[in-house]
Amino acid sequence: MGYDARIDSLTTKHQTLEHQLEQESRRPIPDAAMVATLKRQKLKIKDELARMSRH
């Protein structure tokens, strides 16, 4: 996978996780464990994107 394709893939995954997080947060009783997991995954992707942009 090329550099640009990897960035596009990570960006898409980040947006998908954001959407899932929004959906979960809108529920009457959000699943706290799911919210935490989604946030952790988003942060991992954000960190990887930041590392890639420094190179």
Side-chain angles (χ1 to χ4, degrees), residues 1-13 49 52-53:
M1 182 180 293
Y3 182 79
D4 289 337
R6 179 70 178 149
I7 288 177
D8 289 343
S9 174
L10 289 171
T11 301
T12 300
K13 286 180 186 178
L49 284 168
M52 290 178 78
S53 70

Side-chain angles (χ1 to χ4, degrees), residues 5-49:
R6 179 70 178 149
I7 288 177
D8 289 343
S9 174
L10 289 171
T11 301
T12 300
K13 286 180 186 178
H14 189 272
Q15 290 170 344
T16 300
L17 289 168
E18 177 65 27
H19 178 71
Q20 290 174 337
L21 184 58
E22 288 173 6
Q23 292 297 320
E24 186 63 35
S25 296
R26 288 186 189 142
R27 292 181 56 203
I29 302 174
D31 182 343
M34 177 61 76
V35 169
T37 299
L38 292 170
K39 285 182 178 182
R40 206 170 16 256
Q41 290 174 352
K42 274 184 56 183
L43 182 58
K44 184 177 175 184
I45 291 171
K46 183 178 176 183
D47 288 346
E48 186 170 349
L49 284 168

